[in-house]
Amino acid sequence: MIDSLTPTHAIDDVVVLFAGDSGDGMQLTGSQFTLATAHARNDLATLPDFPAEIRAPAGTLYGVSGFQLHFGSSAVLTPGDEVDLLVAMNPAALKVHLPRVRAGGAVLVNTNAFGARDLSLAGYDVSPLDDGTLDGYERHDVELTRLTHEALSESELSKQEIDRAKNMFALGLALWMYTRPIEPARSWIAQKFAAVPEIRDANRRALDKGYHYGDISESFVARYEVAPAALPPGTYRAITGNAALALGLVAAAQKSGLDLFYGTYPITPASDLLHALAKYKAYGVKTFQAEDEIAAVGSAIGASFGGAIGVTATSGPGMALKGEFIGLATMVELPLVVVDVQRAGPSTGMPTKTEQSDLLMALYGRNGDAPTPVLAPKTPGECFLAAFHAVRIALEYMTPVVLLSDGYLGNGSEPWLLPDADALPDIKVSFAALETAALDDGAFLPYVRDPETLARGWATPGTAGLEHRIGGIEKDARTGGVSYDPENHQRMTETRAEKVARIADAFPDLEVEGDAEGDVLVVGWGSTYGALKKAVASARADGLAVGHVHLRWLNPLPPGLGGVLGRFEHVLVPELNGGQLVHVLRDRFLVPARGLSKVQGIPFTAREVEAAIVDLTRDA
């Protein structure tokens, strides 16, 4: 590429938001911008935001699709509280997202999309380009549609096909504005459209024309450069939470030496996990798309009964349907991993929006006393370890395990340092054998337990001499036969609970970030981590004594949590739900914890959490 003659200014970080119709390719544009940013070695966090409809009516507010990316030369914890550059492909995108742009921020609009009909669909009586709406912003009017058609005037593609390439023009221009490398996008285009040379060449030409447009336009007096971040040395890749979950599951299967069976039913935002796992057939992964959620979890339990790692994944509505079978896995004590990529509810709710509202269902959403280990990753990259440990716990303790991800983690991405596979802990699996099994007059005793973990023996079907009864009716504590004895049921119920409680014996010491005691302890879980960490750092910089505990395990809770809670005057629990963990903490530890709830389908901003911390100290 020819060096730019436009002056370049160095900045520490920037937030870019691409927005347009769901058919404008904004997710693709954002993904390619993210890839270029990863190649530039910046730290980053993304927030894809798209409508639930497969193809919402073009030009409408509820059809807007957006992709937000925050990247910087130092640690990036959130997708950004405010947007520095909004690329708005139409009036609806401008109307939906302009409130997120900071004062003085840049707005790039596709002026060709601001016709009378476009304005009407977006609810504008007067064009925002003419009525002062954009006063106070750095405004860039670009005829993206016309320029794309001009760039492809010699192409034999149809008008509609040429229209689709305007996102590549916008991508090229954004790459130029922030001195991102263009080669990753060019390589992707070459690979993606290798079989259709006309489409390949058109998209590459539009990309290149967009990249060069900044130098010839008088609208851009400067471009910006963000230095590489000082990340720990190693090999990185930009990874989404769903992709990390898949890799974690496969890694656990390899460490255990077992096949992985994944039974699922498509549901947003968990469907990408099926797409990812289907690529690993060579590693003993078997994927099965069932006819419904109940069949999906049932097939996974069947796989576990047969000696494989049974995994299923879903979102909130599917968790409700899987509840009875999770109870069955609890009763028969078979390993099962249930991944819940949470979304806004109840019922169908807002399928493409994020939420943390399934915690209480994960903890208590089964009939009878059916305690289940529950853990939650805090970043997209940490989804790898969460999946790995979910499998490990399920196998070592012979229990179902629930892993709570969410739409923000599942679809969001960050730089991920590839782990050393040899450094991952071994997962020891020992199937019951006739020579070592507990027997009574030659009869197998399937519920004789390991003295440390309380796990029962795992006897696979067809093992001579180890035939035993399986099913949801209560079992005798030794023989595994059907038992209605009151004392036996009491004993088995308490044993299953104790087995889950013992998982905490191996937990590391609870980590408190920030102050170890003082004014406010912020307690969080899951995807709120980045916003909470940033808010706590800001509050401490202002002189408050604030600590931060982020819980990976929600059941069992880590030892020592009660003591940490008691060292602070106030406890604040921010959650993307109506207040669920806060109720658990009040119940378990009798502390007057204060909840901070947000149920808007979008993550917390650090500013919201910091304001709540300050308000809590003022209330005192």
Side-chain angles (χ1 to χ4, degrees):
M1 287 297 177
I2 300 174
D3 290 337
S4 173
L5 299 177
T6 307
T8 301
H9 296 165
I11 55 177
D12 293 330
D13 69 318
V14 68
V15 179
V16 177
L17 172 57
F18 299 95
D21 279 326
S22 55
D24 281 337
M26 294 296 94
Q27 302 304 316
L28 174 60
T29 304
S31 297
Q32 288 304 308
F33 195 90
T34 300
L35 178 62
T37 297
H39 275 269
R41 294 183 294 134
N42 296 124
D43 199 4
L44 63 91
T46 68
L47 177 61
D49 184 17
F50 43 88
E53 291 81 1
I54 294 175
R55 188 65 183 269
T60 60
L61 298 179
Y62 56 88
V64 172
S65 177
F67 190 106
Q68 184 169 317
L69 168 69
H70 182 195
F71 59 98
S73 57
S74 56
V76 171
L77 300 173
T78 74
D81 286 7
E82 293 182 309
V83 172
D84 296 297
L85 169 67
L86 168 63
V87 179
M89 303 295 282
N90 62 15
L94 180 66
K95 189 168 191 175
V96 169
H97 291 299
L98 186 60
R100 299 169 69 173
V101 181
R102 65 172 174 82
V107 179
L108 191 157
V109 293
N110 176 21
T111 55
N112 296 129
F114 279 70
R117 185 172 183 277
D118 304 297
L119 295 169
S120 176
L121 287 170
Y124 282 116
D125 296 324
V126 180
S127 174
L129 305 182
D130 303 325
D131 67 355
T133 296
L134 298 180
D135 290 351
Y137 298 99
E138 179 187 326
R139 173 174 163 179
H140 303 289
D141 291 353
V142 181
E143 295 182 280
L144 286 173
T145 304
R146 183 189 67 79
L147 290 168
T148 302
H149 277 268
E150 184 180 283
L152 305 181
S153 59
E154 298 181 3
S155 171
E156 296 182 359
L157 298 178
S158 67
K159 178 180 181 298
Q160 184 180 23
E161 289 172 323
I162 292 175
D163 279 342
R164 291 174 184 160
K166 64 181 181 290
N167 68 322
M168 289 294 103
F169 192 103
L171 172 62
L173 179 53
L175 292 173
W176 174 87
M177 290 178 67
Y178 293 101
T179 60
R180 309 285 86 192
I182 194 173
E183 285 306 319
R186 296 182 99 243
S187 299
W188 178 85
I189 290 171
Q191 182 179 8
K192 177 70 174 178
F193 301 109
V196 192
E198 297 85 355
I199 300 292
R200 178 198 63 201
D201 295 343
N203 278 278
R204 188 164 59 189
R205 182 171 177 79
L207 177 74
D208 291 345
K209 286 292 185 180
Y211 191 90
H212 288 296
Y213 176 77
D215 271 329
I216 64 173
S217 171
E218 296 181 356
S219 179
F220 302 95
V221 297
R223 54 201 302 236
Y224 302 94
E225 185 173 15
V226 179
L231 299 172
T235 302
Y236 286 81
R237 59 168 286 188
I239 198 167
T240 65
N242 281 337
L245 286 172
L247 288 172
L249 293 170
V250 175
Q254 293 294 299
K255 280 290 186 176
S256 67
L258 301 178
D259 286 344
L260 177 77
F261 177 90
Y262 182 66
T264 191
Y265 180 75
I267 184 170
T268 301
S271 298
D272 284 345
L273 188 52
L274 172 61
H275 306 155
L277 284 171
K279 300 175 183 178
Y280 296 107
K281 294 179 181 178
Y283 294 89
V285 177
K286 298 174 177 63
T287 55
F288 169 60
Q289 182 174 315
E291 66 268 27
D292 57 40
E293 296 281 5
I294 300 172
V297 64
S299 67
I301 293 174
S304 293
F305 180 54
I309 302 169
V311 182
T312 188
T314 187
S315 192
M319 278 293 287
L321 292 169
K322 294 180 188 291
E324 182 178 358
F325 262 125
I326 297 174
L328 173 63
T330 301
M331 175 64 79
V332 300
E333 300 187 52
L334 284 171
L336 173 71
V337 174
V338 182
V339 178
D340 179 3
V341 188
Q342 301 164 95
R343 70 191 203 188
S347 187
T348 306
M350 298 192 296
T352 60
K353 309 302 179 183
T354 196
E355 209 163 88
Q356 294 181 300
S357 53
D358 295 347
L359 174 59
L360 293 183
M361 179 163 61
L363 294 175
Y364 308 118
R366 293 159 296 281
N367 65 297
D369 288 300
T372 303
V374 178
L375 79 163
K378 61 186 181 184
T379 68
E382 199 189 54
C383 287
F384 173 86
L385 285 177
F388 184 91
H389 288 300
V391 172
R392 180 181 63 83
I393 292 299
L395 294 175
E396 292 181 1
Y397 289 83
M398 292 292 285
T399 179
V401 176
V402 175
L403 191 161
L404 291 176
S405 179
D406 61 40
Y408 170 45
L409 291 180
N411 294 320
S413 58
E414 67 174 353
W416 179 55
L417 177 62
L418 269 61
D420 179 1
D422 294 334
L424 293 172
D426 290 330
I427 300 177
K428 298 179 180 179
V429 178
S430 58
F431 292 102
L434 185 60
E435 296 77 16
T436 57
L439 304 174
D440 184 9
D441 290 335
F444 175 47
L445 301 176
Y447 284 88
V448 171
R449 301 174 181 276
D450 181 279
E452 293 186 5
T453 65
L454 297 183
R456 76 173 184 89
W458 194 2
T460 56
T463 305
L466 300 187
E467 297 84 357
H468 60 286
R469 186 180 293 271
I470 197 87
I473 299 178
E474 184 63 278
K475 304 297 183 294
D476 180 84
R478 283 176 56 80
T479 69
V482 172
S483 174
Y484 294 102
D485 179 74
E487 293 185 0
N488 179 79
H489 180 54
Q490 178 93 22
R491 176 183 176 184
M492 289 292 278
T493 299
E494 292 174 351
T495 299
R496 289 187 289 262
E498 174 63 19
K499 179 173 67 170
V500 172
R502 288 192 182 189
I503 295 171
D505 292 345
F507 287 177
D509 292 338
L510 186 63
E511 181 183 5
V512 182
E513 299 186 38
D515 293 297
E517 60 183 21
D519 299 319
V520 179
L521 177 67
V522 179
V523 182
W525 65 279
S527 65
T528 60
Y529 175 74
L532 272 55
K533 182 179 177 68
K534 186 174 181 180
V536 168
S538 297
R540 295 182 69 228
D542 290 337
L544 296 178
V546 185
H548 175 203
V549 166
H550 215 78
L551 301 177
R552 171 184 284 178
W553 284 97
L554 287 310
N555 191 42
L557 289 168
L561 178 57
V564 173
L565 293 172
R567 298 203 297 263
F568 290 83
E569 186 174 353
H570 304 283
V571 176
L572 179 68
V573 187
E575 301 179 80
L576 298 177
N577 57 47
Q580 298 190 16
L581 178 61
V582 68
H583 288 300
V584 173
L585 297 181
R586 290 170 182 167
D587 172 59
R588 299 280 182 90
F589 303 105
L590 302 179
V591 294
R594 179 85 62 88
L596 175 63
S597 296
K598 183 175 182 178
V599 283
Q600 301 174 14
I602 55 177
F604 278 112
T605 64
R607 185 173 300 164
E608 291 170 329
V609 179
E610 184 182 1
I613 295 171
V614 172
D615 287 345
L616 203 55
T617 59
R618 287 174 179 168
D619 290 346

Tab-separated table of all heavy atoms in Angstrom, residues 152 170 246 249 260 319 336 381 402 432 438 468 483:
chain	number	residue	atom	x	y	z
A	152	LEU	N	-16.804	-0.033	-8.731
A	152	LEU	CA	-17.100	-1.305	-9.401
A	152	LEU	C	-17.852	-1.100	-10.704
A	152	LEU	O	-18.594	-1.980	-11.163
A	152	LEU	CB	-17.897	-2.217	-8.462
A	152	LEU	CG	-17.270	-2.497	-7.094
A	152	LEU	CD1	-18.146	-3.421	-6.266
A	152	LEU	CD2	-15.873	-3.103	-7.255
A	170	ALA	N	-16.539	0.640	3.464
A	170	ALA	CA	-16.529	1.219	4.814
A	170	ALA	C	-15.427	0.597	5.667
A	170	ALA	O	-14.757	1.296	6.444
A	170	ALA	CB	-17.891	1.014	5.473
A	246	ALA	N	-15.710	-24.559	22.969
A	246	ALA	CA	-15.494	-25.755	22.160
A	246	ALA	C	-14.086	-26.303	22.357
A	246	ALA	O	-13.888	-27.512	22.550
A	246	ALA	CB	-15.746	-25.437	20.686
A	249	LEU	N	-13.692	-27.985	25.787
A	249	LEU	CA	-14.314	-29.310	25.831
A	249	LEU	C	-13.440	-30.347	25.131
A	249	LEU	O	-13.244	-31.460	25.629
A	249	LEU	CB	-15.696	-29.258	25.182
A	249	LEU	CG	-16.763	-28.436	25.911
A	249	LEU	CD1	-18.007	-28.270	25.045
A	249	LEU	CD2	-17.136	-29.076	27.244
A	260	LEU	N	-15.943	-37.382	23.138
A	260	LEU	CA	-16.883	-36.335	23.538
A	260	LEU	C	-18.127	-36.435	22.679
A	260	LEU	O	-18.041	-36.429	21.450
A	260	LEU	CB	-16.236	-34.957	23.368
A	260	LEU	CG	-17.125	-33.750	23.685
A	260	LEU	CD1	-17.237	-33.571	25.190
A	260	LEU	CD2	-16.552	-32.472	23.070
A	319	MET	N	-33.000	-24.547	28.959
A	319	MET	CA	-32.670	-24.993	30.310
A	319	MET	C	-33.924	-25.433	31.047
A	319	MET	O	-33.910	-26.414	31.799
A	319	MET	CB	-31.973	-23.871	31.074
A	319	MET	CG	-30.501	-23.740	30.794
A	319	MET	SD	-29.519	-25.133	31.393
A	319	MET	CE	-29.556	-24.838	33.172
A	336	LEU	N	-22.153	-35.230	33.319
A	336	LEU	CA	-22.875	-34.509	32.282
A	336	LEU	C	-22.487	-33.044	32.392
A	336	LEU	O	-22.450	-32.485	33.499
A	336	LEU	CB	-24.393	-34.658	32.468
A	336	LEU	CG	-25.284	-33.824	31.549
A	336	LEU	CD1	-25.234	-34.355	30.124
A	336	LEU	CD2	-26.731	-33.821	32.066
A	381	GLY	N	-12.082	-15.552	26.681
A	381	GLY	CA	-10.964	-16.481	26.720
A	381	GLY	C	-11.046	-17.468	27.867
A	381	GLY	O	-10.638	-18.628	27.734
A	402	VAL	N	-23.278	-27.499	35.579
A	402	VAL	CA	-23.848	-26.437	34.752
A	402	VAL	C	-22.815	-25.336	34.576
A	402	VAL	O	-22.252	-24.841	35.554
A	402	VAL	CB	-25.132	-25.864	35.380
A	402	VAL	CG1	-25.638	-24.666	34.561
A	402	VAL	CG2	-26.211	-26.937	35.457
A	432	ALA	N	-15.190	-48.820	36.389
A	432	ALA	CA	-15.302	-49.963	37.286
A	432	ALA	C	-14.952	-51.251	36.538
A	432	ALA	O	-15.307	-51.422	35.370
A	432	ALA	CB	-16.717	-50.051	37.850
A	438	ALA	N	-16.616	-53.217	44.120
A	438	ALA	CA	-17.200	-53.676	45.379
A	438	ALA	C	-18.313	-54.669	45.072
A	438	ALA	O	-19.222	-54.378	44.281
A	438	ALA	CB	-17.749	-52.489	46.157
A	468	HIS	N	-26.229	-53.410	36.541
A	468	HIS	CA	-26.870	-52.694	37.644
A	468	HIS	C	-28.077	-51.933	37.117
A	468	HIS	O	-28.213	-51.693	35.923
A	468	HIS	CB	-25.889	-51.735	38.325
A	468	HIS	CG	-25.328	-50.669	37.419
A	468	HIS	ND1	-24.388	-50.937	36.462
A	468	HIS	CD2	-25.591	-49.334	37.338
A	468	HIS	CE1	-24.068	-49.823	35.807
A	468	HIS	NE2	-24.787	-48.841	36.317
A	483	SER	N	-35.314	-48.282	46.023
A	483	SER	CA	-35.514	-48.215	47.468
A	483	SER	C	-36.500	-47.108	47.809
A	483	SER	O	-36.342	-45.971	47.365
A	483	SER	CB	-34.181	-47.953	48.181
A	483	SER	OG	-34.403	-47.752	49.567
